[in-house]
């Protein structure tokens, strides 16, 4: 029985199709740069936005009510939602999904009861995974909604809250493991502060490090070999969050000797809220061997909060795919649609429009990025630009075989450097446009 | 002979004075929290802004011409400027100054000539230091103004430019050493990019690391034991600079194993351009034992560029001094006024108004911070807020003696955490106001 | 019977008091610059934040539950809340309050029922007003929370929604009139758009104008002579709101010939979200005879959303009061605390800390602004700065009695303008600090 | 004799060309939506950036030196530059140019001399216009670079500066008239303030109004019937500029009864600096019959200053052209490239890459916008969305034939509005992508 009988499986119809419920660019089996689109893109639906989002915002309650949802916090309702979710995954042809523990199952009155309810729903998820072949990209624990986390979770001034968070993450990791999740994500929405005046930053950072170390130990103990990922975000809900951006998270992971076992889940909207272009953040992470997965959404550059929109901008999707092609792909991570339909887009069909548009935009980005790579013109320009490091004094610098004294002698001799060629930014922007 | 005969030494006259050319709060000898104000505050004048700033901006040329400056790039003119500078330092009663190599002396046609000119002026600086007792807080090299650095210095795609920058920094360190400088600063204004499309980020970051390592080695070789400092700034002049903020610089220093030998010079205006309050940045740096020195200025929170204004906001100066008192002071760093008079404030007397106001504001901040510390009410509130980590399960967390498994058992037993007390942000803001 | 027995009436105890539940600066009867503090400041409590705020944010539900609130949407509960509100007003000594229709009374299943419920609660408000002497500063209608307003109210593409909004505002104006409200406010939280692609901006702006004109006509029809006020906000909840800032609202009011009958309610947090300092916005409004009332709160300049914090910054409160003293006060408007306790400040007592701190901060601002005015030094500097317009060619310009031709002849004669004196910004900032 | 012998006239070669010095989309004669591309786009080169820009920024001097420029401020050099400029206009096939008085000719020691020098160069411009057929889109006066304007021009506190500015604008208008300029632009780069403390905003706004009124009178007196345009910019170089954005300028023009005679010149980079998308600003201006011309550039949404980049983003150019097609085109205004090559792009050839890329991007935008218009699907969705205003109560609202009383009766009867359809933002974004 279908919950959404009006929508059939979304098929690839090619760029000329005018059918809004067809893919114009995403063809899962099409081979691009040596791999199928499905392998490159590893799309994932975000359970929270797509099945729990109700369209509420700080100035109004929800606008969205789904026909299959009875509005209760019962386990039965949660199980139904899970069945619907898999119907959507399959109709979209998306191979992965992601969830928070509290998205899929209701919270109980205490930890034991919450765990029990979670287990009940996980059984359904497992059954659906097996039936459909859809897999879990990553699981995570919601450590920010419940009022107990108002002051933080791992950085709470209340040791009991730290302990509760630890127990909750322990369970979420175990459940992720049970479902064959390929990654586990940490997003510390309340790990920061509203006021420096009441905050002991040193102690909080220290607790946050201990928390992550213990989580990592627990994964080893239970044999969970999925990738661990920290997701940077600069602020919101807190005034300041410690996992501010890729650089700050890397600083933190290096301080606790966790870079390597732990990588990053980088989100477009979080990047821009921190003042960075998405391509900067993923390139920075990848250049440090720290890129684990991508939350494929987009914010509005004029807005100062997380709008979590579906990514439809071809420049953005091209840039993302250029980095992924350069660094060998995103696996075992994926492209997770941490995005929500607008508050005013309250029909079920809007979910489909949203995902189809984003999948097509990323597929176009992939094809464009592959064409740029194949063509090689851009890569050559960049390689040539740095060619002075391929020989002579440049090579010595590149290979770390020189000193300030030697460089001074060299330059005293020469007097002045050779002139650098133009940066050709305008030409390069035109070049990118040739492929778009 | 005085260059500025109309201005006498600025004296402390106390809060009731209406004399704009007197200190109302800064009394160098006054003991606050066990040290003199002079020892706490370690004020420094920035040579570039105060003696080379001409009031130009992107929409118009300079508005400022000083009576002592003949407008030429001669060494003689540079020497005169140096004499004037020390007159200003002495009249202000500021014990330190900072400079870039190219501020104090003109650049020659090649490296050898530039070095010779620099030496000539350094001889005057040395003489003036000895005469006046004013000391060098830090030196640095200007690796951003000359067009040769348009594409970066240590991150230039041109190996010759890297070599030139290395030679220039080598000399600047030596000169700083010769003048007894207590620190040496790296600010990489062009170490970043305008366009990701023409940039090999991994290679650039690698070169930047090598550069800093070689600089550190050179300091050891010549026996310079001053503190090395990197100054974060997120952008401007480039679209993106690698030393984005405290967190990003710490990530970089840890990657190259330089945190410890190298610390941070944190600037208010750069902090806010990166989206952080100044108190966040210095607290974060200090909590990682990485705070080296402070560039005491302020930006306009409504503006997206570096305005480098003199700090007169008492909340800001109080917050800075609260952190410095908490972490044992700023020495061997200092509070350097990396600030300039406005383009419309083109009289010599404006230099004095500007420094007097900032020195008084920081002196008030010091007195307020000391009163808050002595009173102890704020500190007690914060300590109590985290007291659950002083015993029981909290202590085990704090001492890293527990595991997720133990924490889960503990919490399964308890069911739910104890309620956290209110964060009391409103009370704390009122409390701060009681001291202001 | 008191609902909050632990808190007594807040008394003025002076700056040396250490009692957090006493005023240190606000003494209602104290005469400053010829009027009592109460007359100058006309404080108002915002019903929605203080009695309906639950601490929810986009990442978590409410943290606040009040002992007097049974959590239901019954009229009885609403009446109880009203009684509590007046207890708080009286204990704080605040002479005014403000409300939205849907804050004070629950919404019914249709317009008639909603109106009936509102009338029931209004009867209690009226009784409490008479008993306590507390008055209504302004009323307003909530046209943004109910999902029917998701696409706008006066700018909804749905004519029925326009009609519903008109009916709701009609009732809200009548209720405000009945309660003797001195102003009526329009804040169009959804009057804007999320996407330009689905928006007919010209038609929406036209409808918005008609709505306001009809509202104004209705006021005349029923004899409501209170001041009408539009409150600017640039964005949030929408991507873009038409009432972006003071300038945009004035443009709109002039287009519809409503400036005069309609003025502005200017909020600090909305000002900064639009990129303006609060002093800019109120000075601009006042200089156009368009300043009606003030929402006295503050945002965080590092954050891109409305945090609605209580104003405790003395610079801000001084600047506000400087403008109000310059333009003859805020009456019949007032200083309404459109501010909420933090999500982490969930105790009843936090409401008192918050209001006391803000009232004290504004009282200090008033005293400082009055001292600056009495002293006259700042005013004289500004007056002198423009003195060239007091005679000669300047006077002709000022009095609009010259032409480009005459000005050219004058200047051809002179060749160049006289030099302008320094702007003295640094001196002026120091001068302000002398009073703080 | 050609100054740039290596570059020939840029020809249209179509989308498959790999020649970086050919148009791939801009074909001047191609007819789109009933007019030639040349008529639609009315491209203009900005004299200041392209012939006077030297690549300087706040952290370094110029990087650009042109082979034809002898570096002096002589009239001869200025005349040569003018000849080069027309060679570039012709090679690019751009039909218009724009200038400031001080771009084209050097400033003299006094007004009379400046005017004389300007006249000498204008004679050359006139000759070149006649020879080439290239026309003047608009002229303007530079009232921001010379230090005399440090405190403003029309808003200077110095009446002599006001008079000087008036005389300078008078001459600039006359010169524009002589050259057959189709518009005259006012951009008041210093019409604002750095500090509210030294500013009399009411008096400044009043002077600014008088200035514009006198300018308008002068145009009538001399028979200049070109369109007058004010160009909004929120800030930079000042902390705050009065012509903040489209809304603020319209408010100002309405206050002085100048809207109509005066329209707006809207720039992308200024729009985003004010927090608006470009499409918002031009739609708002056009919807008020106030759109006069466009400065076609783009900023970096992550940066807080004017980067004045060439527009290459197809989404942006499509949005601009959608508005222009909707409102009947931009004539007598045009699309002026107020854009500069990057500081690192210092070769002459970069000027060509930059303009070719921008022209192609706008040509693509035009073709896409025309396809969207022809298809009609988007327009139909929007029209349908508002169809409730085409009959019944909606029509009465639209035609301003109803009252709050009638609307209340209507709604009391109905009880609740009909449900609004989904906003379909996701579908619309996908739809736009179909054309890109």
């Amino acid at each position: 029985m279908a919950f959404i009988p009006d929508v059939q499986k979304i098929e690839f119809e090619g760029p000329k199709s005018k059918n809004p419920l067809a893919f114009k660019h995403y063809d899962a089996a099409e081979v691009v740069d040596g791999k199928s689109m499905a392998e490159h893109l590893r799309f994932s639906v975000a359970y929270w936005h797509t099945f729990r989002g109700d369209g509420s915002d700080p100035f109004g309650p929800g606008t969205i009510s789904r026909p299959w949802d009875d509005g209760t916090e019962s386990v039965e309702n949660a199980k139904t939602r899970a069945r619907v979710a898999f119907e959507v995954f399959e109709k979209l042809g998306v191979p992965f999904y992601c969830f928070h523990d509290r998205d899929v199952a209701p919270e109980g009155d205490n930890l034991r009861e919450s765990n029990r309810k979670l287990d009940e729903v996980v059984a359904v998820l497992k059954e659906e995974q097996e039936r459909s072949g859809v897999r879990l990209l990553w699981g995570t624990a919601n450590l920010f909604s419940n009022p107990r986390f108002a002051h933080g979770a791992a950085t709470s001034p209340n040791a009991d809250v730290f302990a509760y968070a630890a127990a909750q993450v322990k369970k979420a990791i175990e459940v992720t493991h049970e479902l064959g999740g390929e990654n586990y994500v940490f997003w510390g929405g309340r790990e920061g502060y509203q006021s420096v005046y009441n905050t002991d930053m040193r102690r909080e950072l220290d607790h946050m490090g201990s928390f992550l170390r213990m989580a990592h130990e627990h994964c080893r103990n239970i044999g969970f070999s999925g990738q661990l990922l920290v997701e940077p975000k600069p602020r919101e809900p807190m005034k300041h969050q410690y996992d501010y951006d890729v650089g700050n998270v890397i600083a933190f992971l290096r301080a606790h000797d966790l870079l390597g076992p732990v990588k990053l889940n980088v989100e477009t909207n979080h990047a821009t809220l921190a003042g960075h272009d998405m391509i900067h953040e993923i390139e920075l992470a990848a250049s440090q061997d720290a890129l684990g997965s991508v939350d494929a959404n987009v914010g509005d550059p004029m807005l100062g909060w997380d709008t979590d929109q579906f990514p439809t901008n071809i420049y953005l999707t091209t840039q993302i795919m250029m980095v992924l092609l350069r660094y060998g792909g995103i696996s075992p991570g994926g492209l997770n649609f941490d995005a929500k339909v607008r508050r005013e887009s309250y029909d079920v069909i809007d979910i489909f429009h949203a995902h189809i548009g984003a999948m097509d935009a990323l597929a176009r980005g992939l094809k464009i990025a592959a064409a740029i790579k194949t063509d090689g013109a851009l890569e050559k320009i960049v390689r040539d630009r740095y060619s002075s490091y391929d020989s002579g004094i440049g090579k010595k610098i590149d290979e770390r075989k020189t000193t300030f004294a030697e460089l001074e002698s060299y330059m005293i001799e020469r007097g002045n450097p050779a002139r650098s060629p133009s940066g050709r930014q305008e030409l390069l922007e035109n070049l990118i446009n040739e492929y778009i």
Side-chain angles (χ1 to χ4, degrees), chain A:
Chain A
M1 189 207 81
F3 293 95
I4 308 170
D6 298 344
V7 180
Q8 306 310 311
K9 185 158 180 14
I10 308 302
E11 305 288 354
F12 171 72
E13 298 186 0
K16 289 186 180 162
S17 167
K18 288 283 179 190
N19 176 4
L21 293 176
F23 294 117
K24 282 141 202 90
H25 300 277
Y26 181 63
D27 180 2
E30 183 181 339
V31 173
V32 177
D33 196 49
K35 283 193 293 192
S36 73
M37 279 199 178
E39 286 170 286
H40 276 291
L41 294 166
R42 295 174 62 83
F43 288 132
S44 164
V45 171
Y47 205 97
W48 51 102
H49 282 313
T50 296
F51 302 102
R52 305 307 309 274
D54 67 355
S56 62
D57 72 15
F59 293 84
T63 55
I64 295 173
S65 67
R66 300 301 182 198
W68 56 77
D69 197 305
D70 67 15
T72 69
E73 283 298 316
S74 73
V75 170
E76 271 321 295
N77 194 26
K79 287 179 178 175
T80 303
R81 245 188 249 117
R83 306 279 184 202
V84 178
F86 278 79
E87 181 180 329
V88 172
F89 304 154
E90 287 184 278
K91 287 186 169 170
L92 285 171
V94 164
F96 292 101
Y97 72 111
C98 297
F99 68 74
H100 300 80
D101 48 3
R102 300 302 178 242
D103 305 331
V104 290
E107 189 156 6
D109 285 342
N110 53 51
L111 185 60
R112 196 188 304 265
E113 195 186 321
S114 297
N115 287 353
R116 188 183 49 71
K117 292 182 177 196
L118 182 54
D119 285 336
E120 283 192 65
V121 182
V122 163
V124 176
L125 295 173
K126 201 167 182 178
E127 190 186 308
E128 288 287 318
Q129 288 189 193
E130 282 160 12
R131 185 190 57 69
S132 65
V134 173
R135 288 136 69 199
L136 179 63
L137 185 66
W138 47 261
T140 189
N142 177 329
L143 304 178
F144 46 89
S145 292
N146 192 295
R148 77 170 59 91
F149 298 120
H151 307 264
T155 61
S156 174
N158 182 341
D160 267 19
V161 172
F162 181 105
Y164 190 97
Q168 190 178 331
V169 169
K170 177 174 177 292
K171 179 68 179 177
I173 290 172
E174 289 162 5
V175 155
T176 299
H177 187 36
E178 185 181 345
L179 290 170
E182 306 193 11
N183 307 265
Y184 182 86
V185 164
F186 296 84
W187 178 62
R190 307 261 179 210
E191 311 298 21
Y193 56 81
Q194 295 291 15
S195 171
V196 284
Y197 292 138
N198 68 14
T199 302
D200 183 335
M201 197 187 294
R202 193 199 280 247
R203 208 166 187 178
E204 292 202 356
L205 284 169
D206 191 55
H207 293 167
M208 203 165 87
S210 296
F211 192 93
L212 196 56
R213 264 198 316 272
M214 285 191 272
H216 178 228
E217 278 163 24
H218 185 67
C219 292
R220 279 196 318 226
N221 292 346
I222 65 169
F224 174 64
S225 60
Q227 193 174 247
L228 301 189
L229 301 168
V230 171
E231 178 173 326
K233 187 176 182 188
R235 58 182 73 86
E236 198 203 22
M238 307 305 278
K239 169 192 166 41
H240 203 288
Q241 280 144 233
Y242 298 123
D243 296 331
Y244 195 82
D245 60 7
V246 166
N248 277 268
V249 171
I250 288 178
F252 172 76
L253 294 177
R254 285 191 177 129
H256 295 279
D257 216 15
L258 286 165
L259 188 62
V262 186
K263 293 190 171 175
L264 281 84
N265 183 41
V266 183
E267 173 175 327
T268 312
N269 205 155
H270 296 177
T272 50
L273 286 173
H276 307 291
D277 292 330
M278 177 58 165
I279 191 173
H280 173 86
E281 286 290 83
I282 53 173
E283 176 71 46
L284 178 61
S287 75
Q288 313 286 299
D289 299 317
L291 181 61
S293 198
V294 164
D295 266 14
N297 65 8
V298 71
D300 186 313
M302 297 293 124
L303 302 185
W305 67 90
D306 216 3
T307 61
D308 279 349
Q309 295 175 248
F310 282 85
T312 57
N313 186 299
I314 307 301
Y315 291 96
L316 169 69
T317 60
T318 297
Q319 292 183 341
I320 291 173
M321 297 316 300
M322 283 170 72
V323 175
L324 297 191
L325 290 186
R326 188 181 307 141
Y327 287 95
I330 194 64
S331 176
L335 301 181
N336 174 51
F337 293 118
D338 187 4
K340 59 186 176 192
V341 291
R342 302 299 84 197
R343 185 176 192 261
E344 304 79 21
S345 299
Y346 28 59
D347 291 347
V348 171
I349 198 72
D350 293 313
I351 293 176
F352 287 89
H353 293 148
H355 282 87
I356 291 167
M359 291 165 77
D360 263 352
L362 281 153
R364 281 178 78 176
L366 169 61
K367 288 190 285 186
I368 294 166
I372 291 171
K373 186 180 166 190
T374 301
D375 184 287
L378 176 65
E379 198 186 332
K380 182 175 182 322
I381 289 172
V382 177
R383 205 171 49 237
D384 289 352
R385 193 167 178 244
Y386 293 86
S387 60
S388 63
Y389 289 95
D390 296 336
S391 62
I393 194 73
K395 194 169 188 195
K396 284 182 128 176
I397 294 166
D398 218 50
E399 295 178 347
R400 306 186 182 185
K401 290 184 177 160
T402 185
T403 64
F404 266 27
E406 184 185 30
L407 292 166
E408 184 185 54
S409 302
Y410 167 82
M411 195 42 69
I412 287 283
E413 183 78 14
R414 285 183 69 83
N416 278 309
R419 184 171 176 279
S420 305
S422 161
R424 291 282 184 267
Q425 181 171 334
E426 294 79 8
L427 176 71
L428 293 171
E429 291 182 11
N430 297 352
L431 190 64
I432 297 293
N433 264 356
E434 283 185 28
Y435 299 95
I436 282 181

